[in-house]
Amino acid sequence: MEPFTSDRLQLPRNMIENSMFEEEPDVVDLAKEPCLHPLEPDEVEYEPRGSRLLVRGLGEHEMDEDEEDYESSAKLLGMSFMNRSSGLRNSAAGYRQSVEGACSVPSARTLAVCAFVIVVAVSVIMVIYLLPRCTFTKEGCHKKSQSMKLIQPLATNGKLFPWAQMRLPTAIMPQRYELDIHPNLTSMTFRGSVTISVQALQATWNIILHSTGHNISRVTFMSAVSSQEKQVEILEYPYREQIAIVAPEALLAGHNYTLKIEYSANISSSYYGFYGVTYKDESNEKKYFAATQFEPLAARSAFPCFDEPAFKATFIVKIKREEQYTALSNMPKKSSVPMEDGLFQDEFSESVKMSTYLVAFIVGEMKNLSQDVNGTLVSIYAVSEKIGQVHHALETTVKLLEFYQNYFEIQYPLKKLDLVAIPDFQAAAMENWGLLTFREETLLYDNNTSSVADRKLVTKIIAHELAHQWFGNLVTMQWWNDLWLNEGFATFMEYFSLEKIFKELSSYEDFLDARFKTMKKDALNSSHPILSSVQSSEQIEEMFDSLSYFKGASLLLMLKTYLSEDVFQHAIILYLHNHSYGSIQSDDLWDSFNEVTNKTLDVKKMMKTWTLQKGFPLVTVHRKGMELSIKQERFFLSMKPEIQPSDASYLWHIPISYVTDGKNYSEYQAVSLLDKKSGIINLTEQVQWVKVNANMTGYYIVHYEDDDWAALIQQLKRNPYVLSDKDRANLINNIFELAGLGKVPLQRAFDLIDYLGNENHAAPITEALFQTGLIFHLLEKLGHMDLASRLVARVHMLLQNQIQQQTWTDEGTPSMRELRIVLLEFACAHNLENCSTAAMKLFDEWVASNGTQSLPTDVMTTVFKVGAKTDTGWSFLLSKYASIDSEAEKNKILEALASSADTRRLYWLMKSSLEGDIIQTQKLSSIIRTVGRSFPGHLLAWDFVKENWDKLVQKFHLGSYTIQNIVAGSTHLFSTKAHFSEVQTFFENQSETTFRLRCVQEALEVIQLNIQWMEQNLKTLTLWL
């Protein structure tokens, strides 16, 4: 899945209250029934929730003193679902059955034993309740250090639910699903049935799987031996989104069984599961559309299933639809049969073996354009009025499909590949196998209104989702802790493939920019290793962040550069071949690399230092003669020693690459591996300067001694092009990040960018504008307007020549065109040169033509922003927004509308987007971020988020990429203690889960760092700027 952000970069369920002892259980020593044990003791967590029966874990692990105290009572509280087979009950001593088959009569011995047991149980319970160190309620012990962690939850009907873990048991494995879906797009409801063929890997009585939001009407069970359907009991546990099928007989290891579940549900109004949207066609008629988005945890809301990545199976999908609709699923359509009620039933071929999150189906009115590629039919689908915008996507997909098949040496395994533009879609795109789904803006390209940046975006997103057909679909991570294997690889291949077959787009510039921004996030204390333990739905959602995507991709780039492209390709081909249709962990990838390197380098050992630690190293270089002394420590943004990590605990194996003035740059890069805290590199000759981390392929920041910084600054002033544009951008990024920490004087960072008057590449200028832009925004938001103006004047002086050279056209290479966008946007935003005058002239001409006159696409956003500053211009843009078909043009208009200085209009925009009628809700996070960047809107954006928090998390889910963007976008420019306290108090007053969200902790840390930056640098700026 590709998360969507304008910068391109589940709530707990309530429990039903039931009495602990509403139904008396059979008394069974659960520890003596390991193979049919309804509870697995490992990894079960204590949950402070109501309506759950607390039970001790009875595994063979060691117990502490508290555990031993409770052991006997635990055995008395055990619930058995294993008493339904006479064969398993014969060993129940003490009971006699009468000849007539009447109820058995207990013996005197049994009565005595039972009485003793009851007395013991009551005594133990009283002792527990009277313990002074722990207060018990229906939610359990609230002693923080209590060890009572294993829980027997209650189902909604009051019975004990036979599973207490978030992860499903592995006793049952699905083999095949037959899914029948009948949606009603008018009432936004659907009926469904799913038949699941399963195999028992271990003996058990229960089948535990996922289901949420379903009204289950009937459940039947059939064994392969008897072939007789039996209606069975179902237990529901909404908090874990789990159901338990209580089998009528013991399920035996190695045997196959069939489960059929009939149900009904609402089509979701959020962006998760099987959800519905409405849109207006070219005749302004309301249309209905339904699509799926299952990753990570929403397949269970569309049909009961084993909704974890490792539970792979095949799928047969059948969809009933009205005649005007087209139905699509992962596989080619096998048949379409008219039904007696005027409906049609489409059946799709049985799928390849895949995870539930990759299942997809769509029902809507669509048209398509197709092309055959070596036996695979590639089709681009869109709503009928936008079918003219799919040509670029089709051409791009064909080229990328052929490239990936050749590079991976594995053919795409399906007979068709559909790419569908969904009218309203939260993510940028989703890689469902054979049925890729996209936002309209990330798939459609309009020649008249799409800019070069739009073209690059569409190309990158398609490349990302196609890469997933191998990385993620063919080979899948076992669990979400290894999400980076999916997303890091797809992101890396996205940029790698564009460099190979769309080199003119200079996608390396975007990758470089993404790495800079990702490292800024990774330098926070609230960061996380890309391989992190996750359990809850919120934790899983939070894994979809820039670290899983861009840090993962950056580490692969570093590894490819270090090993060579041939070795890298050989290793990933081996990895894909060895694990096709399987589920893997990170070690499986590194084992493939080690096999290829023949252990000349222990890739696993090296890469674990990058995947199991958060953050990245700061490499400090000291040059003395022909000797480089280098040392590593963790780069950490906070200067407060009390929260800085211990240096001793962080060590990376770092590929140290460097270039010098002594050799031809393009032909010579030296590389060595630093796997200790410090090391020495001997140069082969005397040099004037050394630049470490050549082309910024390494994931680290470099700090030099004063003389070496001075030598690099002098070289940039003499002739910057001795260094690559990547290296120049890298130096700008590193020195500003170091200046923020006080390791380099801020004035030296500005000395370095003094060379920009001679710069003509996009990457260095973009990074310089980003770094100085952050300073400007902090100064502006604190009211230091004079200082902010002086900063702009200084930057303008450096870039004046380049700004004056720009034309209001779409001419030049893609990189030159993107540089034009950046420069003119900067000039018009700060009223420099005659930028606003030229933009207003174009805007007035466009308005005079009623929006029919073509504007240069690259400067369209800048023109619209200038025009939106007037009342009539803003109103005209809003009217055009509602009537045009091009999503590219709509986005440009929306950014201009959200850049207004009128707070009433800004609030209306956010409110309208949340409601979703005039402006789609998918646009909301981008609007909030744009509003939050401006001086008039930065407080308003935060107020809006506070007021509407409950609605936001209901629509987008706690922890999701969109919620991460909303929290960051509304707080990232706060820099006062009052704002810190306000944000902290707001989230503390939400649920504990909300306050502990990584994005919340990150937002608080960023505010603290902004405060720290101003304390460190404000006086210096005032003195010399």
Side-chain angles (χ1 to χ4, degrees), residues 201-226:
L201 302 185
Q202 302 168 22
T204 183
W205 277 96
N206 309 294
I207 302 175
I208 315 295
L209 64 160
H210 291 109
S211 171
T212 181
H214 300 143
N215 299 311
I216 296 175
S217 54
R218 190 166 186 265
V219 182
T220 57
F221 171 89
M222 184 174 67
S223 70
V225 178
S226 67

Short mmCIF file of all heavy atoms in Angstrom, two decimals, residues 201-226:
data_model
loop_
_atom_site.label_atom_id
_atom_site.label_comp_id
_atom_site.label_asym_id
_atom_site.label_seq_id
_atom_site.Cartn_x
_atom_site.Cartn_y
_atom_site.Cartn_z
N LEU A 201 -4.00 -28.72 11.77
CA LEU A 201 -2.59 -29.07 11.94
C LEU A 201 -2.34 -29.69 13.31
O LEU A 201 -1.37 -30.41 13.51
CB LEU A 201 -1.70 -27.84 11.76
CG LEU A 201 -1.81 -27.12 10.41
CD1 LEU A 201 -0.78 -26.00 10.34
CD2 LEU A 201 -1.65 -28.08 9.25
N GLN A 202 -3.22 -29.36 14.25
CA GLN A 202 -3.18 -29.95 15.59
C GLN A 202 -4.61 -30.27 15.99
O GLN A 202 -5.56 -29.67 15.50
CB GLN A 202 -2.58 -28.97 16.59
CG GLN A 202 -1.18 -28.47 16.27
CD GLN A 202 -0.79 -27.30 17.15
OE1 GLN A 202 -1.35 -27.11 18.23
NE2 GLN A 202 0.17 -26.52 16.69
N ALA A 203 -4.76 -31.24 16.92
CA ALA A 203 -6.09 -31.56 17.41
C ALA A 203 -6.65 -30.38 18.19
O ALA A 203 -5.93 -29.72 18.95
CB ALA A 203 -6.03 -32.79 18.30
N THR A 204 -7.91 -30.09 18.01
CA THR A 204 -8.54 -28.95 18.69
C THR A 204 -10.06 -29.13 18.64
O THR A 204 -10.58 -29.95 17.87
CB THR A 204 -8.14 -27.62 18.04
OG1 THR A 204 -8.71 -26.54 18.77
CG2 THR A 204 -8.61 -27.53 16.59
N TRP A 205 -10.77 -28.36 19.45
CA TRP A 205 -12.23 -28.34 19.42
C TRP A 205 -12.78 -27.07 18.77
O TRP A 205 -13.96 -26.99 18.47
CB TRP A 205 -12.77 -28.43 20.86
CG TRP A 205 -12.84 -29.82 21.38
CD1 TRP A 205 -11.91 -30.46 22.14
CD2 TRP A 205 -13.89 -30.76 21.16
NE1 TRP A 205 -12.32 -31.73 22.42
CE2 TRP A 205 -13.54 -31.95 21.83
CE3 TRP A 205 -15.09 -30.72 20.46
CZ2 TRP A 205 -14.35 -33.09 21.83
CZ3 TRP A 205 -15.91 -31.84 20.46
CH2 TRP A 205 -15.53 -33.02 21.14
N ASN A 206 -11.94 -26.07 18.63
CA ASN A 206 -12.43 -24.76 18.23
C ASN A 206 -11.72 -24.24 16.99
O ASN A 206 -10.53 -24.49 16.80
CB ASN A 206 -12.22 -23.76 19.36
CG ASN A 206 -12.76 -24.26 20.68
OD1 ASN A 206 -13.97 -24.42 20.83
ND2 ASN A 206 -11.88 -24.53 21.63
N ILE A 207 -12.46 -23.52 16.18
CA ILE A 207 -11.88 -22.81 15.05
C ILE A 207 -12.00 -21.32 15.36
O ILE A 207 -13.10 -20.79 15.47
CB ILE A 207 -12.60 -23.14 13.73
CG1 ILE A 207 -12.55 -24.65 13.46
CG2 ILE A 207 -12.00 -22.35 12.58
CD1 ILE A 207 -13.35 -25.08 12.24
N ILE A 208 -10.86 -20.66 15.54
CA ILE A 208 -10.83 -19.23 15.86
C ILE A 208 -10.47 -18.46 14.60
O ILE A 208 -9.45 -18.74 13.96
CB ILE A 208 -9.80 -18.92 16.97
CG1 ILE A 208 -9.89 -19.93 18.11
CG2 ILE A 208 -9.95 -17.49 17.46
CD1 ILE A 208 -11.17 -19.90 18.88
N LEU A 209 -11.28 -17.47 14.24
CA LEU A 209 -10.97 -16.63 13.09
C LEU A 209 -11.48 -15.22 13.34
O LEU A 209 -12.00 -14.93 14.42
CB LEU A 209 -11.55 -17.22 11.81
CG LEU A 209 -13.07 -17.37 11.64
CD1 LEU A 209 -13.41 -17.49 10.16
CD2 LEU A 209 -13.59 -18.62 12.35
N HIS A 210 -11.32 -14.35 12.37
CA HIS A 210 -11.69 -12.94 12.55
C HIS A 210 -13.05 -12.64 11.91
O HIS A 210 -13.38 -13.16 10.85
CB HIS A 210 -10.64 -12.03 11.90
CG HIS A 210 -9.33 -12.01 12.60
ND1 HIS A 210 -8.20 -12.60 12.07
CD2 HIS A 210 -8.96 -11.49 13.80
CE1 HIS A 210 -7.19 -12.42 12.91
NE2 HIS A 210 -7.62 -11.75 13.95
N SER A 211 -13.76 -11.74 12.55
CA SER A 211 -15.01 -11.23 12.00
C SER A 211 -15.38 -9.98 12.78
O SER A 211 -15.25 -9.95 14.01
CB SER A 211 -16.13 -12.27 12.13
OG SER A 211 -17.39 -11.72 11.79
N THR A 212 -15.81 -8.95 12.09
CA THR A 212 -16.28 -7.74 12.78
C THR A 212 -17.38 -7.06 11.97
O THR A 212 -17.28 -6.97 10.73
CB THR A 212 -15.12 -6.76 13.04
OG1 THR A 212 -15.62 -5.61 13.73
CG2 THR A 212 -14.45 -6.30 11.75
N GLY A 213 -18.41 -6.65 12.66
CA GLY A 213 -19.50 -5.92 12.01
C GLY A 213 -20.47 -6.79 11.24
O GLY A 213 -21.28 -6.27 10.47
N HIS A 214 -20.42 -8.10 11.43
CA HIS A 214 -21.30 -9.00 10.68
C HIS A 214 -22.48 -9.45 11.53
O HIS A 214 -22.31 -9.78 12.71
CB HIS A 214 -20.54 -10.26 10.22
CG HIS A 214 -19.37 -9.96 9.34
ND1 HIS A 214 -18.18 -10.66 9.38
CD2 HIS A 214 -19.19 -9.02 8.38
CE1 HIS A 214 -17.34 -10.18 8.51
NE2 HIS A 214 -17.93 -9.17 7.89
N ASN A 215 -23.63 -9.50 10.92
CA ASN A 215 -24.78 -10.16 11.52
C ASN A 215 -24.79 -11.59 11.00
O ASN A 215 -25.26 -11.85 9.89
CB ASN A 215 -26.08 -9.44 11.17
CG ASN A 215 -26.10 -8.02 11.66
OD1 ASN A 215 -25.80 -7.77 12.83
ND2 ASN A 215 -26.43 -7.07 10.80
N ILE A 216 -24.24 -12.50 11.78
CA ILE A 216 -24.10 -13.88 11.32
C ILE A 216 -25.39 -14.63 11.58
O ILE A 216 -25.89 -14.70 12.71
CB ILE A 216 -22.91 -14.56 12.04
CG1 ILE A 216 -21.60 -13.85 11.65
CG2 ILE A 216 -22.84 -16.04 11.70
CD1 ILE A 216 -20.38 -14.35 12.38
N SER A 217 -25.98 -15.16 10.53
CA SER A 217 -27.29 -15.81 10.63
C SER A 217 -27.20 -17.33 10.74
O SER A 217 -28.05 -17.97 11.35
CB SER A 217 -28.16 -15.43 9.43
OG SER A 217 -27.49 -15.72 8.22
N ARG A 218 -26.17 -17.91 10.15
CA ARG A 218 -26.09 -19.38 10.16
C ARG A 218 -24.65 -19.82 9.96
O ARG A 218 -23.92 -19.26 9.14
CB ARG A 218 -26.98 -19.94 9.04
CG ARG A 218 -27.17 -21.46 9.08
CD ARG A 218 -28.33 -21.87 8.16
NE ARG A 218 -28.64 -23.28 8.28
CZ ARG A 218 -28.15 -24.23 7.48
NH1 ARG A 218 -27.34 -23.90 6.48
NH2 ARG A 218 -28.49 -25.49 7.65
N VAL A 219 -24.27 -20.82 10.73
CA VAL A 219 -22.93 -21.40 10.59
C VAL A 219 -23.07 -22.92 10.53
O VAL A 219 -23.70 -23.52 11.41
CB VAL A 219 -22.02 -21.02 11.77
CG1 VAL A 219 -20.62 -21.60 11.57
CG2 VAL A 219 -21.94 -19.51 11.94
N THR A 220 -22.51 -23.51 9.50
CA THR A 220 -22.54 -24.98 9.40
C THR A 220 -21.13 -25.51 9.27
O THR A 220 -20.21 -24.82 8.82
CB THR A 220 -23.39 -25.44 8.20
OG1 THR A 220 -22.85 -24.85 7.00
CG2 THR A 220 -24.84 -25.06 8.36
N PHE A 221 -21.00 -26.76 9.66
CA PHE A 221 -19.69 -27.41 9.73
C PHE A 221 -19.79 -28.79 9.09
O PHE A 221 -20.81 -29.48 9.22
CB PHE A 221 -19.27 -27.52 11.20
CG PHE A 221 -18.05 -28.35 11.44
CD1 PHE A 221 -16.79 -27.79 11.43
CD2 PHE A 221 -18.15 -29.72 11.68
CE1 PHE A 221 -15.66 -28.54 11.66
CE2 PHE A 221 -17.03 -30.48 11.91
CZ PHE A 221 -15.78 -29.90 11.90
N MET A 222 -18.75 -29.18 8.38
CA MET A 222 -18.78 -30.50 7.73
C MET A 222 -17.37 -31.05 7.70
O MET A 222 -16.41 -30.34 7.39
CB MET A 222 -19.34 -30.37 6.31
CG MET A 222 -19.50 -31.68 5.57
SD MET A 222 -20.32 -31.43 3.98
CE MET A 222 -19.09 -30.50 3.10
N SER A 223 -17.23 -32.30 8.05
CA SER A 223 -15.92 -32.96 7.96
C SER A 223 -15.81 -33.67 6.63
O SER A 223 -16.81 -34.04 6.01
CB SER A 223 -15.73 -33.95 9.10
OG SER A 223 -16.58 -35.07 8.93
N ALA A 224 -14.59 -33.86 6.17
CA ALA A 224 -14.38 -34.53 4.89
C ALA A 224 -14.83 -35.98 4.94
O ALA A 224 -15.18 -36.58 3.93
CB ALA A 224 -12.91 -34.45 4.50
N VAL A 225 -14.86 -36.54 6.14
CA VAL A 225 -15.21 -37.95 6.29
C VAL A 225 -16.72 -38.15 6.22
O VAL A 225 -17.24 -38.99 5.47
CB VAL A 225 -14.67 -38.50 7.63
CG1 VAL A 225 -15.08 -39.96 7.82
CG2 VAL A 225 -13.16 -38.37 7.67
N SER A 226 -17.48 -37.35 7.00
CA SER A 226 -18.93 -37.58 7.09
C SER A 226 -19.72 -36.95 5.96
O SER A 226 -20.79 -37.45 5.59
CB SER A 226 -19.45 -37.04 8.43
OG SER A 226 -19.33 -35.63 8.45
#
